[in-house]
Short mmCIF file of all heavy atoms in Angstrom, two decimals:
data_model
loop_
_atom_site.label_atom_id
_atom_site.label_comp_id
_atom_site.label_asym_id
_atom_site.label_seq_id
_atom_site.Cartn_x
_atom_site.Cartn_y
_atom_site.Cartn_z
N GLN A 159 66.06 -106.57 97.29
CA GLN A 159 66.06 -105.74 98.48
C GLN A 159 66.17 -104.26 98.12
O GLN A 159 65.60 -103.41 98.81
CB GLN A 159 67.22 -106.15 99.40
CG GLN A 159 67.22 -105.39 100.71
CD GLN A 159 68.21 -105.95 101.72
OE1 GLN A 159 68.99 -106.84 101.39
NE2 GLN A 159 68.17 -105.44 102.94
N ALA A 160 66.89 -103.95 97.05
CA ALA A 160 67.04 -102.56 96.65
C ALA A 160 65.68 -101.93 96.34
O ALA A 160 65.43 -100.76 96.69
CB ALA A 160 67.97 -102.46 95.43
N ARG A 161 64.81 -102.68 95.69
CA ARG A 161 63.48 -102.15 95.39
C ARG A 161 62.66 -101.96 96.66
O ARG A 161 61.90 -101.00 96.79
CB ARG A 161 62.75 -103.09 94.42
CG ARG A 161 63.39 -103.12 93.04
CD ARG A 161 62.58 -104.00 92.10
NE ARG A 161 63.16 -104.02 90.78
CZ ARG A 161 62.90 -103.13 89.82
NH1 ARG A 161 62.07 -102.13 90.06
NH2 ARG A 161 63.46 -103.24 88.62
N ALA A 162 62.80 -102.89 97.61
CA ALA A 162 62.11 -102.74 98.89
C ALA A 162 62.61 -101.51 99.63
O ALA A 162 61.81 -100.75 100.21
CB ALA A 162 62.31 -103.99 99.73
N ASP A 163 63.92 -101.26 99.61
CA ASP A 163 64.48 -100.08 100.27
C ASP A 163 64.00 -98.80 99.61
O ASP A 163 63.72 -97.79 100.30
CB ASP A 163 66.01 -100.15 100.25
CG ASP A 163 66.55 -101.27 101.13
OD1 ASP A 163 65.81 -101.74 102.02
OD2 ASP A 163 67.71 -101.69 100.92
N ASP A 164 63.90 -98.80 98.28
CA ASP A 164 63.39 -97.62 97.59
C ASP A 164 61.95 -97.32 98.00
O ASP A 164 61.58 -96.15 98.20
CB ASP A 164 63.45 -97.83 96.06
CG ASP A 164 64.88 -97.79 95.54
OD1 ASP A 164 65.77 -97.28 96.25
OD2 ASP A 164 65.10 -98.28 94.41
N PHE A 165 61.15 -98.38 98.15
CA PHE A 165 59.77 -98.19 98.55
C PHE A 165 59.70 -97.66 99.99
O PHE A 165 58.85 -96.80 100.31
CB PHE A 165 59.02 -99.51 98.43
CG PHE A 165 57.53 -99.40 98.66
CD1 PHE A 165 56.81 -98.35 98.13
CD2 PHE A 165 56.87 -100.36 99.41
CE1 PHE A 165 55.43 -98.25 98.33
CE2 PHE A 165 55.50 -100.27 99.61
CZ PHE A 165 54.78 -99.21 99.08
N LEU A 166 60.58 -98.14 100.86
CA LEU A 166 60.63 -97.62 102.23
C LEU A 166 60.89 -96.12 102.25
O LEU A 166 60.28 -95.37 103.03
CB LEU A 166 61.71 -98.35 103.03
CG LEU A 166 61.40 -99.72 103.59
CD1 LEU A 166 62.61 -100.30 104.30
CD2 LEU A 166 60.20 -99.65 104.53
N GLN A 167 61.80 -95.66 101.40
CA GLN A 167 62.11 -94.24 101.34
C GLN A 167 60.90 -93.43 100.87
O GLN A 167 60.64 -92.33 101.39
CB GLN A 167 63.29 -94.01 100.41
CG GLN A 167 64.61 -94.58 100.93
CD GLN A 167 65.76 -94.34 99.99
OE1 GLN A 167 65.64 -93.60 99.00
NE2 GLN A 167 66.90 -94.97 100.27
N GLN A 168 60.15 -93.97 99.92
CA GLN A 168 58.95 -93.28 99.47
C GLN A 168 57.93 -93.16 100.60
O GLN A 168 57.26 -92.13 100.75
CB GLN A 168 58.34 -94.02 98.28
CG GLN A 168 59.22 -94.06 97.04
CD GLN A 168 58.61 -94.88 95.92
OE1 GLN A 168 57.38 -95.00 95.82
NE2 GLN A 168 59.45 -95.48 95.09
N LEU A 169 57.81 -94.24 101.38
CA LEU A 169 56.87 -94.21 102.50
C LEU A 169 57.32 -93.23 103.58
O LEU A 169 56.49 -92.53 104.18
CB LEU A 169 56.74 -95.62 103.09
CG LEU A 169 56.09 -96.67 102.18
CD1 LEU A 169 56.18 -98.05 102.82
CD2 LEU A 169 54.64 -96.32 101.90
N ASN A 170 58.63 -93.17 103.83
CA ASN A 170 59.14 -92.25 104.84
C ASN A 170 58.83 -90.80 104.49
O ASN A 170 58.57 -89.96 105.38
CB ASN A 170 60.66 -92.42 105.00
CG ASN A 170 60.99 -93.68 105.78
OD1 ASN A 170 60.20 -94.15 106.61
ND2 ASN A 170 62.18 -94.24 105.53
N LYS A 171 58.83 -90.49 103.20
CA LYS A 171 58.50 -89.12 102.77
C LYS A 171 57.05 -88.77 103.08
O LYS A 171 56.68 -87.60 103.16
CB LYS A 171 58.77 -88.97 101.28
CG LYS A 171 60.24 -89.04 100.91
CD LYS A 171 60.44 -88.93 99.41
CE LYS A 171 61.92 -89.01 99.05
NZ LYS A 171 62.14 -88.95 97.59
N LYS A 172 56.23 -89.81 103.27
CA LYS A 172 54.82 -89.60 103.63
C LYS A 172 54.60 -89.82 105.13
O LYS A 172 53.46 -89.98 105.56
CB LYS A 172 53.93 -90.53 102.82
CG LYS A 172 53.98 -90.27 101.32
CD LYS A 172 53.02 -91.21 100.58
CE LYS A 172 53.03 -90.92 99.08
NZ LYS A 172 52.07 -91.75 98.34
N ASP A 173 55.69 -89.85 105.90
CA ASP A 173 55.65 -90.05 107.35
C ASP A 173 55.04 -91.41 107.72
O ASP A 173 54.37 -91.56 108.76
CB ASP A 173 54.86 -88.93 108.04
CG ASP A 173 55.59 -87.61 107.95
OD1 ASP A 173 56.84 -87.61 107.98
OD2 ASP A 173 54.92 -86.56 107.82
N ILE A 174 55.26 -92.39 106.90
CA ILE A 174 54.82 -93.75 107.20
C ILE A 174 56.07 -94.58 107.50
O ILE A 174 56.90 -94.81 106.61
CB ILE A 174 54.04 -94.36 106.02
CG1 ILE A 174 52.77 -93.54 105.78
CG2 ILE A 174 53.70 -95.82 106.28
CD1 ILE A 174 52.01 -93.94 104.54
N ARG A 175 56.24 -94.99 108.74
CA ARG A 175 57.45 -95.67 109.19
C ARG A 175 57.29 -97.19 109.04
O ARG A 175 56.91 -97.88 109.99
CB ARG A 175 57.75 -95.30 110.64
CG ARG A 175 57.80 -93.81 110.90
CD ARG A 175 58.79 -93.12 109.98
NE ARG A 175 58.79 -91.67 110.17
CZ ARG A 175 59.37 -90.81 109.36
NH1 ARG A 175 59.99 -91.28 108.28
NH2 ARG A 175 59.33 -89.52 109.60
N ALA A 176 57.55 -97.65 107.90
CA ALA A 176 57.41 -99.08 107.62
C ALA A 176 58.72 -99.80 107.88
O ALA A 176 59.77 -99.19 108.14
CB ALA A 176 56.95 -99.29 106.18
N LYS A 177 58.69 -101.11 107.80
CA LYS A 177 59.87 -101.95 107.99
C LYS A 177 59.97 -102.92 106.81
O LYS A 177 59.03 -103.08 106.03
CB LYS A 177 59.75 -102.75 109.30
CG LYS A 177 59.46 -101.91 110.54
CD LYS A 177 59.13 -102.80 111.73
CE LYS A 177 58.66 -101.98 112.92
NZ LYS A 177 58.24 -102.86 114.05
N THR A 178 61.11 -103.59 106.74
CA THR A 178 61.28 -104.63 105.72
C THR A 178 61.94 -105.85 106.35
O THR A 178 62.70 -105.72 107.32
CB THR A 178 62.13 -104.11 104.54
OG1 THR A 178 62.20 -105.13 103.54
CG2 THR A 178 63.53 -103.76 104.99
N ARG A 179 61.65 -107.01 105.79
CA ARG A 179 62.26 -108.24 106.28
C ARG A 179 62.35 -109.24 105.13
O ARG A 179 61.52 -109.24 104.21
CB ARG A 179 61.43 -108.83 107.43
CG ARG A 179 60.11 -109.44 106.98
CD ARG A 179 59.32 -109.99 108.16
NE ARG A 179 58.14 -110.72 107.68
CZ ARG A 179 57.16 -111.15 108.47
NH1 ARG A 179 57.22 -110.91 109.79
NH2 ARG A 179 56.12 -111.80 107.98
N PRO A 180 63.37 -110.12 105.17
CA PRO A 180 63.47 -111.16 104.14
C PRO A 180 62.54 -112.32 104.46
O PRO A 180 62.28 -112.64 105.62
CB PRO A 180 64.94 -111.57 104.21
CG PRO A 180 65.33 -111.31 105.63
CD PRO A 180 64.53 -110.10 106.07
N GLU A 181 62.06 -112.97 103.42
CA GLU A 181 61.21 -114.15 103.58
C GLU A 181 61.58 -115.16 102.50
O GLU A 181 61.86 -114.79 101.36
CB GLU A 181 59.72 -113.79 103.44
CG GLU A 181 59.20 -112.87 104.52
CD GLU A 181 57.70 -112.61 104.37
OE1 GLU A 181 57.09 -113.22 103.46
OE2 GLU A 181 57.16 -111.80 105.15
N ASN A 182 61.61 -116.41 102.89
CA ASN A 182 61.78 -117.49 101.91
C ASN A 182 60.40 -117.96 101.47
O ASN A 182 59.55 -118.31 102.29
CB ASN A 182 62.56 -118.66 102.52
CG ASN A 182 64.00 -118.31 102.78
OD1 ASN A 182 64.62 -117.59 102.00
ND2 ASN A 182 64.55 -118.79 103.88
N ARG A 183 60.20 -117.95 100.17
CA ARG A 183 58.90 -118.31 99.64
C ARG A 183 59.04 -119.45 98.64
O ARG A 183 60.05 -119.55 97.93
CB ARG A 183 58.24 -117.11 98.95
CG ARG A 183 57.95 -115.96 99.91
CD ARG A 183 57.34 -114.78 99.18
NE ARG A 183 56.08 -115.12 98.53
CZ ARG A 183 54.90 -115.16 99.14
NH1 ARG A 183 54.82 -114.89 100.44
NH2 ARG A 183 53.81 -115.46 98.48
N THR A 184 58.05 -120.29 98.61
CA THR A 184 58.03 -121.40 97.66
C THR A 184 57.09 -121.05 96.51
O THR A 184 55.89 -120.81 96.73
CB THR A 184 57.57 -122.70 98.33
OG1 THR A 184 58.45 -123.02 99.41
CG2 THR A 184 57.55 -123.85 97.34
N LEU A 185 57.65 -121.01 95.33
CA LEU A 185 56.83 -120.76 94.14
C LEU A 185 56.48 -122.08 93.49
O LEU A 185 57.34 -122.94 93.27
CB LEU A 185 57.60 -119.88 93.15
CG LEU A 185 57.98 -118.48 93.64
CD1 LEU A 185 58.67 -117.72 92.52
CD2 LEU A 185 56.75 -117.72 94.13
N GLY A 186 55.21 -122.24 93.20
CA GLY A 186 54.77 -123.47 92.55
C GLY A 186 55.24 -123.52 91.11
O GLY A 186 55.80 -122.56 90.57
N PRO A 187 55.04 -124.65 90.46
CA PRO A 187 55.46 -124.78 89.06
C PRO A 187 54.67 -123.83 88.16
O PRO A 187 53.52 -123.50 88.44
CB PRO A 187 55.16 -126.25 88.74
CG PRO A 187 54.09 -126.63 89.71
CD PRO A 187 54.37 -125.86 90.95
N THR A 188 55.30 -123.40 87.10
CA THR A 188 54.64 -122.57 86.11
C THR A 188 54.81 -123.21 84.74
O THR A 188 55.78 -123.93 84.49
CB THR A 188 55.22 -121.14 86.09
OG1 THR A 188 56.65 -121.21 85.91
CG2 THR A 188 54.90 -120.40 87.37
N TYR A 189 53.86 -122.93 83.86
CA TYR A 189 53.82 -123.56 82.55
C TYR A 189 53.85 -122.48 81.47
O TYR A 189 53.17 -121.45 81.59
CB TYR A 189 52.56 -124.42 82.41
CG TYR A 189 52.44 -125.44 83.52
CD1 TYR A 189 51.76 -125.15 84.70
CD2 TYR A 189 53.01 -126.71 83.39
CE1 TYR A 189 51.66 -126.07 85.72
CE2 TYR A 189 52.91 -127.64 84.41
CZ TYR A 189 52.24 -127.32 85.58
OH TYR A 189 52.14 -128.24 86.59
N TRP A 190 54.65 -122.71 80.43
CA TRP A 190 54.83 -121.76 79.34
C TRP A 190 54.68 -122.46 78.00
O TRP A 190 54.86 -123.68 77.90
CB TRP A 190 56.23 -121.15 79.40
CG TRP A 190 56.51 -120.33 80.62
CD1 TRP A 190 56.86 -120.79 81.87
CD2 TRP A 190 56.48 -118.91 80.72
NE1 TRP A 190 57.05 -119.73 82.72
CE2 TRP A 190 56.81 -118.57 82.06
CE3 TRP A 190 56.20 -117.88 79.81
CZ2 TRP A 190 56.89 -117.25 82.49
CZ3 TRP A 190 56.26 -116.57 80.25
CH2 TRP A 190 56.60 -116.26 81.57
N LEU A 191 54.41 -121.67 76.98
CA LEU A 191 54.41 -122.14 75.60
C LEU A 191 55.37 -121.27 74.81
O LEU A 191 55.17 -120.06 74.71
CB LEU A 191 53.01 -122.07 74.99
CG LEU A 191 51.94 -122.91 75.70
CD1 LEU A 191 50.57 -122.64 75.08
CD2 LEU A 191 52.27 -124.38 75.63
#
Side-chain angles (χ1 to χ4, degrees):
Q159 185 170 6
R161 293 183 179 273
D163 292 340
D164 288 342
F165 187 42
L166 280 178
Q167 293 180 9
Q168 297 176 28
L169 294 173
N170 285 333
K171 292 178 181 178
K172 297 182 178 183
D173 292 326
I174 297 173
R175 308 305 177 192
K177 307 170 187 176
T178 184
R179 72 181 187 189
E181 295 183 5
N182 291 322
R183 297 179 60 82
T184 301
L185 298 182
T188 54
Y189 305 90
W190 296 80
L191 300 174

